[in-house]
Amino acid sequence: MHPFTRVRGFAVQLDGHPGGGTVYRGGEVLSGQVVLDVAKRVKVRALAVCARGLATAHWLEGKSVGMNTIYSDYTAFQTYLRRKTHLIPDNGDVTVLQAGRHEFPFTFQLPESLATSFEGKHGSVRYWVKAKLHRPWSSVKKAKKDFTIIEPIDINTPALLAPQAGAKEKLARAWYCNRGLVSVSAKIDRKGYTPGEVIPIFAEIDNCTTRTVVPKAAIIQTQTFVARGTKKQKKSVVASMVGDAIAAGKREVWHGRALKIPPVGPSILQCRVIHVEYALKVCIEIPGTSKLFLELPLVIGTIPLHPFGSRTSSVSSQYSVSLDWVRMGIPEEPEAPPEYSSVVSSEGPLETLSPPAQDNGPPGILEGPFFAYIQEFRFRPPPLYSEVDPNPQSDAAIRPRCMTC
């Protein structure tokens, strides 16, 4: 410290949240104090503190004009939080603080609706508290403290408890010759899941070609950034599995093949400039032709499935904040997921990437929400055993099989 420096320390501290750390959600109270440590008597003109929350999308797109490249700037913002208070008012007077440590408490009421904190390639959702100290004949001294917002997504709702199913088929062609038909139908028991859960996949793959095909399944994360009416997307594989090879003219049935959801952040669906969405993609690799894939939508929530009572009952009142899950490590060394291009069809709707914008985010932060901040998953009780199918299929609903199966 310089011998003539009067201010030895200036920082923003947030009070401990009931769940631990600096993780909050909409509607809660954000409180803390500005700590000022002075070595000698100091005059203060004003001390202000503000709380901010901002969603930002930004990227550049290049266009060749002759020998030059012209870049277009795409930027969009959405403000979620903007609060300010004066701990020492700026009324023209000067406040004298004696040597020692001084604490100035503050409190902000967070809005009910906030977006989950997020760090992505072309945008972010960030929240912070900043304090400014104004002194006569001195530069403004600043201090900043970041905090995290995790908005609860309750999967115990009818929309997220609804089963998801679909079917696709593809005629395999090679050198203008038909090699046969490949079809896949898949189903999962619901749309909403939380990290740590296992998704049981029920699927049926018919290989009526003359070649061996390989089925795969993956969870795909799609980050969508919106600015000036234009969208920029980034897709990545967060978990995957490979099924057994299916010989020519054979059929494969998955009776609940398990795909575990890794520690990923929740879906972001209500922000105007940034969306984070998930999907389960079943892919069939067909030699000599493009891949066949079937996509089922997923929503990654924060409030796990309630183990008791009605499946459609909400457990929002029982939701508690805990950082134990954030600090939880994966027990075994996870296998790195494959590249997105190796799982989906090369004909998928991928936009042409432009020169990336400069990354202004803090170093060391991975792409995605700051924390996959979820309660520990509780497994549902098994269904009652019955030898009678509660949902029998009609003859008209049974899909005809190929002759070679």
PDB file of all heavy atoms in Angstrom, residues 238-262:
ATOM      1  N   VAL A 238     -24.020 -33.329 -25.038  1.00  0.00           N
ATOM      2  CA  VAL A 238     -23.686 -33.355 -23.611  1.00  0.00           C
ATOM      3  C   VAL A 238     -23.661 -34.772 -23.052  1.00  0.00           C
ATOM      4  O   VAL A 238     -23.082 -35.015 -21.996  1.00  0.00           O
ATOM      5  CB  VAL A 238     -24.677 -32.482 -22.811  1.00  0.00           C
ATOM      6  CG1 VAL A 238     -24.594 -31.039 -23.260  1.00  0.00           C
ATOM      7  CG2 VAL A 238     -26.106 -32.985 -22.927  1.00  0.00           C
ATOM      8  N   ALA A 239     -24.285 -35.722 -23.737  1.00  0.00           N
ATOM      9  CA  ALA A 239     -24.245 -37.135 -23.323  1.00  0.00           C
ATOM     10  C   ALA A 239     -24.620 -37.981 -24.530  1.00  0.00           C
ATOM     11  O   ALA A 239     -25.410 -37.555 -25.385  1.00  0.00           O
ATOM     12  CB  ALA A 239     -25.197 -37.414 -22.164  1.00  0.00           C
ATOM     13  N   SER A 240     -24.071 -39.207 -24.614  1.00  0.00           N
ATOM     14  CA  SER A 240     -24.358 -40.061 -25.761  1.00  0.00           C
ATOM     15  C   SER A 240     -24.172 -41.522 -25.399  1.00  0.00           C
ATOM     16  O   SER A 240     -23.541 -41.856 -24.388  1.00  0.00           O
ATOM     17  CB  SER A 240     -23.454 -39.696 -26.955  1.00  0.00           C
ATOM     18  OG  SER A 240     -22.091 -39.964 -26.630  1.00  0.00           O
ATOM     19  N   MET A 241     -24.722 -42.390 -26.215  1.00  0.00           N
ATOM     20  CA  MET A 241     -24.561 -43.830 -26.085  1.00  0.00           C
ATOM     21  C   MET A 241     -24.662 -44.454 -27.469  1.00  0.00           C
ATOM     22  O   MET A 241     -25.276 -43.888 -28.379  1.00  0.00           O
ATOM     23  CB  MET A 241     -25.624 -44.435 -25.165  1.00  0.00           C
ATOM     24  CG  MET A 241     -27.053 -44.144 -25.593  1.00  0.00           C
ATOM     25  SD  MET A 241     -28.255 -45.283 -24.907  1.00  0.00           S
ATOM     26  CE  MET A 241     -27.937 -46.713 -25.910  1.00  0.00           C
ATOM     27  N   VAL A 242     -24.030 -45.624 -27.652  1.00  0.00           N
ATOM     28  CA  VAL A 242     -24.059 -46.340 -28.932  1.00  0.00           C
ATOM     29  C   VAL A 242     -24.703 -47.699 -28.700  1.00  0.00           C
ATOM     30  O   VAL A 242     -24.313 -48.437 -27.781  1.00  0.00           O
ATOM     31  CB  VAL A 242     -22.629 -46.513 -29.499  1.00  0.00           C
ATOM     32  CG1 VAL A 242     -22.678 -47.267 -30.817  1.00  0.00           C
ATOM     33  CG2 VAL A 242     -21.963 -45.151 -29.676  1.00  0.00           C
ATOM     34  N   GLY A 243     -25.686 -48.026 -29.524  1.00  0.00           N
ATOM     35  CA  GLY A 243     -26.361 -49.307 -29.422  1.00  0.00           C
ATOM     36  C   GLY A 243     -25.642 -50.396 -30.202  1.00  0.00           C
ATOM     37  O   GLY A 243     -24.611 -50.163 -30.851  1.00  0.00           O
ATOM     38  N   ASP A 244     -26.180 -51.594 -30.139  1.00  0.00           N
ATOM     39  CA  ASP A 244     -25.604 -52.721 -30.867  1.00  0.00           C
ATOM     40  C   ASP A 244     -25.897 -52.602 -32.361  1.00  0.00           C
ATOM     41  O   ASP A 244     -26.959 -52.107 -32.770  1.00  0.00           O
ATOM     42  CB  ASP A 244     -26.188 -54.039 -30.334  1.00  0.00           C
ATOM     43  CG  ASP A 244     -25.884 -54.242 -28.856  1.00  0.00           C
ATOM     44  OD1 ASP A 244     -24.825 -53.773 -28.407  1.00  0.00           O
ATOM     45  OD2 ASP A 244     -26.717 -54.845 -28.149  1.00  0.00           O
ATOM     46  N   ALA A 245     -24.952 -53.045 -33.168  1.00  0.00           N
ATOM     47  CA  ALA A 245     -25.143 -53.031 -34.617  1.00  0.00           C
ATOM     48  C   ALA A 245     -26.310 -53.939 -34.994  1.00  0.00           C
ATOM     49  O   ALA A 245     -26.511 -55.007 -34.410  1.00  0.00           O
ATOM     50  CB  ALA A 245     -23.864 -53.472 -35.319  1.00  0.00           C
ATOM     51  N   ILE A 246     -27.086 -53.504 -35.982  1.00  0.00           N
ATOM     52  CA  ILE A 246     -28.263 -54.242 -36.440  1.00  0.00           C
ATOM     53  C   ILE A 246     -27.965 -54.788 -37.831  1.00  0.00           C
ATOM     54  O   ILE A 246     -27.728 -54.021 -38.771  1.00  0.00           O
ATOM     55  CB  ILE A 246     -29.508 -53.345 -36.460  1.00  0.00           C
ATOM     56  CG1 ILE A 246     -29.715 -52.696 -35.084  1.00  0.00           C
ATOM     57  CG2 ILE A 246     -30.736 -54.139 -36.866  1.00  0.00           C
ATOM     58  CD1 ILE A 246     -30.825 -51.676 -35.063  1.00  0.00           C
ATOM     59  N   ALA A 247     -27.960 -56.081 -37.960  1.00  0.00           N
ATOM     60  CA  ALA A 247     -27.646 -56.710 -39.242  1.00  0.00           C
ATOM     61  C   ALA A 247     -28.749 -56.465 -40.259  1.00  0.00           C
ATOM     62  O   ALA A 247     -29.863 -56.054 -39.930  1.00  0.00           O
ATOM     63  CB  ALA A 247     -27.422 -58.212 -39.039  1.00  0.00           C
ATOM     64  N   ALA A 248     -28.434 -56.725 -41.531  1.00  0.00           N
ATOM     65  CA  ALA A 248     -29.405 -56.529 -42.609  1.00  0.00           C
ATOM     66  C   ALA A 248     -30.638 -57.398 -42.378  1.00  0.00           C
ATOM     67  O   ALA A 248     -30.539 -58.580 -42.024  1.00  0.00           O
ATOM     68  CB  ALA A 248     -28.762 -56.869 -43.943  1.00  0.00           C
ATOM     69  N   GLY A 249     -31.811 -56.791 -42.577  1.00  0.00           N
ATOM     70  CA  GLY A 249     -33.070 -57.513 -42.451  1.00  0.00           C
ATOM     71  C   GLY A 249     -33.469 -57.847 -41.022  1.00  0.00           C
ATOM     72  O   GLY A 249     -34.349 -58.688 -40.820  1.00  0.00           O
ATOM     73  N   LYS A 250     -32.847 -57.195 -40.019  1.00  0.00           N
ATOM     74  CA  LYS A 250     -33.152 -57.485 -38.624  1.00  0.00           C
ATOM     75  C   LYS A 250     -33.825 -56.299 -37.951  1.00  0.00           C
ATOM     76  O   LYS A 250     -33.857 -55.192 -38.480  1.00  0.00           O
ATOM     77  CB  LYS A 250     -31.865 -57.853 -37.861  1.00  0.00           C
ATOM     78  CG  LYS A 250     -31.183 -59.109 -38.381  1.00  0.00           C
ATOM     79  CD  LYS A 250     -32.069 -60.339 -38.192  1.00  0.00           C
ATOM     80  CE  LYS A 250     -31.365 -61.598 -38.663  1.00  0.00           C
ATOM     81  NZ  LYS A 250     -32.202 -62.805 -38.492  1.00  0.00           N
ATOM     82  N   ARG A 251     -34.346 -56.583 -36.774  1.00  0.00           N
ATOM     83  CA  ARG A 251     -35.020 -55.566 -35.965  1.00  0.00           C
ATOM     84  C   ARG A 251     -34.394 -55.534 -34.585  1.00  0.00           C
ATOM     85  O   ARG A 251     -34.059 -56.575 -34.012  1.00  0.00           O
ATOM     86  CB  ARG A 251     -36.510 -55.868 -35.854  1.00  0.00           C
ATOM     87  CG  ARG A 251     -37.217 -55.103 -34.740  1.00  0.00           C
ATOM     88  CD  ARG A 251     -38.700 -55.352 -34.738  1.00  0.00           C
ATOM     89  NE  ARG A 251     -39.286 -54.770 -35.936  1.00  0.00           N
ATOM     90  CZ  ARG A 251     -40.576 -54.863 -36.228  1.00  0.00           C
ATOM     91  NH1 ARG A 251     -41.382 -55.562 -35.448  1.00  0.00           N
ATOM     92  NH2 ARG A 251     -41.053 -54.289 -37.307  1.00  0.00           N
ATOM     93  N   GLU A 252     -34.241 -54.323 -34.053  1.00  0.00           N
ATOM     94  CA  GLU A 252     -33.695 -54.125 -32.708  1.00  0.00           C
ATOM     95  C   GLU A 252     -34.725 -53.367 -31.874  1.00  0.00           C
ATOM     96  O   GLU A 252     -35.331 -52.394 -32.338  1.00  0.00           O
ATOM     97  CB  GLU A 252     -32.391 -53.326 -32.769  1.00  0.00           C
ATOM     98  CG  GLU A 252     -31.797 -52.975 -31.423  1.00  0.00           C
ATOM     99  CD  GLU A 252     -31.123 -54.152 -30.739  1.00  0.00           C
ATOM    100  OE1 GLU A 252     -30.945 -55.202 -31.398  1.00  0.00           O
ATOM    101  OE2 GLU A 252     -30.778 -54.017 -29.558  1.00  0.00           O
ATOM    102  N   VAL A 253     -34.927 -53.810 -30.631  1.00  0.00           N
ATOM    103  CA  VAL A 253     -35.869 -53.169 -29.721  1.00  0.00           C
ATOM    104  C   VAL A 253     -35.122 -52.760 -28.462  1.00  0.00           C
ATOM    105  O   VAL A 253     -34.413 -53.573 -27.858  1.00  0.00           O
ATOM    106  CB  VAL A 253     -37.044 -54.111 -29.366  1.00  0.00           C
ATOM    107  CG1 VAL A 253     -37.983 -53.422 -28.383  1.00  0.00           C
ATOM    108  CG2 VAL A 253     -37.805 -54.518 -30.621  1.00  0.00           C
ATOM    109  N   TRP A 254     -35.268 -51.490 -28.086  1.00  0.00           N
ATOM    110  CA  TRP A 254     -34.702 -50.995 -26.837  1.00  0.00           C
ATOM    111  C   TRP A 254     -35.805 -50.981 -25.785  1.00  0.00           C
ATOM    112  O   TRP A 254     -36.791 -50.261 -25.915  1.00  0.00           O
ATOM    113  CB  TRP A 254     -34.148 -49.587 -27.012  1.00  0.00           C
ATOM    114  CG  TRP A 254     -32.882 -49.525 -27.808  1.00  0.00           C
ATOM    115  CD1 TRP A 254     -32.183 -50.565 -28.325  1.00  0.00           C
ATOM    116  CD2 TRP A 254     -32.173 -48.342 -28.195  1.00  0.00           C
ATOM    117  NE1 TRP A 254     -31.087 -50.126 -28.995  1.00  0.00           N
ATOM    118  CE2 TRP A 254     -31.039 -48.764 -28.936  1.00  0.00           C
ATOM    119  CE3 TRP A 254     -32.363 -46.984 -27.996  1.00  0.00           C
ATOM    120  CZ2 TRP A 254     -30.123 -47.864 -29.469  1.00  0.00           C
ATOM    121  CZ3 TRP A 254     -31.461 -46.087 -28.514  1.00  0.00           C
ATOM    122  CH2 TRP A 254     -30.347 -46.513 -29.246  1.00  0.00           C
ATOM    123  N   HIS A 255     -35.613 -51.768 -24.741  1.00  0.00           N
ATOM    124  CA  HIS A 255     -36.580 -51.817 -23.653  1.00  0.00           C
ATOM    125  C   HIS A 255     -36.087 -50.937 -22.506  1.00  0.00           C
ATOM    126  O   HIS A 255     -35.759 -51.420 -21.428  1.00  0.00           O
ATOM    127  CB  HIS A 255     -36.775 -53.261 -23.181  1.00  0.00           C
ATOM    128  CG  HIS A 255     -37.344 -54.162 -24.217  1.00  0.00           C
ATOM    129  ND1 HIS A 255     -38.676 -54.141 -24.585  1.00  0.00           N
ATOM    130  CD2 HIS A 255     -36.757 -55.112 -24.999  1.00  0.00           C
ATOM    131  CE1 HIS A 255     -38.891 -55.051 -25.524  1.00  0.00           C
ATOM    132  NE2 HIS A 255     -37.743 -55.648 -25.801  1.00  0.00           N
ATOM    133  N   GLY A 256     -36.032 -49.643 -22.760  1.00  0.00           N
ATOM    134  CA  GLY A 256     -35.590 -48.726 -21.709  1.00  0.00           C
ATOM    135  C   GLY A 256     -34.092 -48.587 -21.621  1.00  0.00           C
ATOM    136  O   GLY A 256     -33.531 -48.609 -20.515  1.00  0.00           O
ATOM    137  N   ARG A 257     -33.401 -48.456 -22.760  1.00  0.00           N
ATOM    138  CA  ARG A 257     -31.951 -48.226 -22.736  1.00  0.00           C
ATOM    139  C   ARG A 257     -31.661 -46.927 -21.989  1.00  0.00           C
ATOM    140  O   ARG A 257     -32.274 -45.882 -22.252  1.00  0.00           O
ATOM    141  CB  ARG A 257     -31.398 -48.156 -24.162  1.00  0.00           C
ATOM    142  CG  ARG A 257     -31.441 -49.467 -24.907  1.00  0.00           C
ATOM    143  CD  ARG A 257     -30.458 -50.476 -24.325  1.00  0.00           C
ATOM    144  NE  ARG A 257     -29.087 -50.063 -24.547  1.00  0.00           N
ATOM    145  CZ  ARG A 257     -28.354 -50.470 -25.572  1.00  0.00           C
ATOM    146  NH1 ARG A 257     -28.874 -51.293 -26.488  1.00  0.00           N
ATOM    147  NH2 ARG A 257     -27.107 -50.083 -25.704  1.00  0.00           N
ATOM    148  N   ALA A 258     -30.715 -46.971 -21.058  1.00  0.00           N
ATOM    149  CA  ALA A 258     -30.490 -45.855 -20.133  1.00  0.00           C
ATOM    150  C   ALA A 258     -29.487 -44.856 -20.706  1.00  0.00           C
ATOM    151  O   ALA A 258     -28.430 -45.244 -21.213  1.00  0.00           O
ATOM    152  CB  ALA A 258     -29.998 -46.379 -18.791  1.00  0.00           C
ATOM    153  N   LEU A 259     -29.833 -43.583 -20.597  1.00  0.00           N
ATOM    154  CA  LEU A 259     -28.933 -42.494 -20.959  1.00  0.00           C
ATOM    155  C   LEU A 259     -28.970 -41.485 -19.821  1.00  0.00           C
ATOM    156  O   LEU A 259     -29.992 -40.846 -19.569  1.00  0.00           O
ATOM    157  CB  LEU A 259     -29.363 -41.843 -22.274  1.00  0.00           C
ATOM    158  CG  LEU A 259     -28.487 -40.685 -22.780  1.00  0.00           C
ATOM    159  CD1 LEU A 259     -27.053 -41.157 -22.973  1.00  0.00           C
ATOM    160  CD2 LEU A 259     -29.033 -40.121 -24.077  1.00  0.00           C
ATOM    161  N   LYS A 260     -27.844 -41.358 -19.104  1.00  0.00           N
ATOM    162  CA  LYS A 260     -27.796 -40.503 -17.921  1.00  0.00           C
ATOM    163  C   LYS A 260     -27.525 -39.058 -18.300  1.00  0.00           C
ATOM    164  O   LYS A 260     -26.698 -38.758 -19.159  1.00  0.00           O
ATOM    165  CB  LYS A 260     -26.716 -40.997 -16.955  1.00  0.00           C
ATOM    166  CG  LYS A 260     -26.706 -40.258 -15.621  1.00  0.00           C
ATOM    167  CD  LYS A 260     -25.688 -40.850 -14.666  1.00  0.00           C
ATOM    168  CE  LYS A 260     -25.708 -40.120 -13.323  1.00  0.00           C
ATOM    169  NZ  LYS A 260     -24.736 -40.690 -12.374  1.00  0.00           N
ATOM    170  N   ILE A 261     -28.244 -38.149 -17.629  1.00  0.00           N
ATOM    171  CA  ILE A 261     -28.066 -36.722 -17.859  1.00  0.00           C
ATOM    172  C   ILE A 261     -26.904 -36.230 -17.000  1.00  0.00           C
ATOM    173  O   ILE A 261     -26.921 -36.386 -15.782  1.00  0.00           O
ATOM    174  CB  ILE A 261     -29.342 -35.945 -17.513  1.00  0.00           C
ATOM    175  CG1 ILE A 261     -30.527 -36.481 -18.313  1.00  0.00           C
ATOM    176  CG2 ILE A 261     -29.159 -34.458 -17.768  1.00  0.00           C
ATOM    177  CD1 ILE A 261     -31.845 -35.848 -17.942  1.00  0.00           C
ATOM    178  N   PRO A 262     -25.881 -35.649 -17.587  1.00  0.00           N
ATOM    179  CA  PRO A 262     -24.733 -35.159 -16.808  1.00  0.00           C
ATOM    180  C   PRO A 262     -25.072 -33.843 -16.106  1.00  0.00           C
ATOM    181  O   PRO A 262     -26.170 -33.299 -16.292  1.00  0.00           O
ATOM    182  CB  PRO A 262     -23.658 -34.961 -17.881  1.00  0.00           C
ATOM    183  CG  PRO A 262     -24.438 -34.624 -19.112  1.00  0.00           C
ATOM    184  CD  PRO A 262     -25.713 -35.418 -19.036  1.00  0.00           C
TER     185      PRO A 262
END
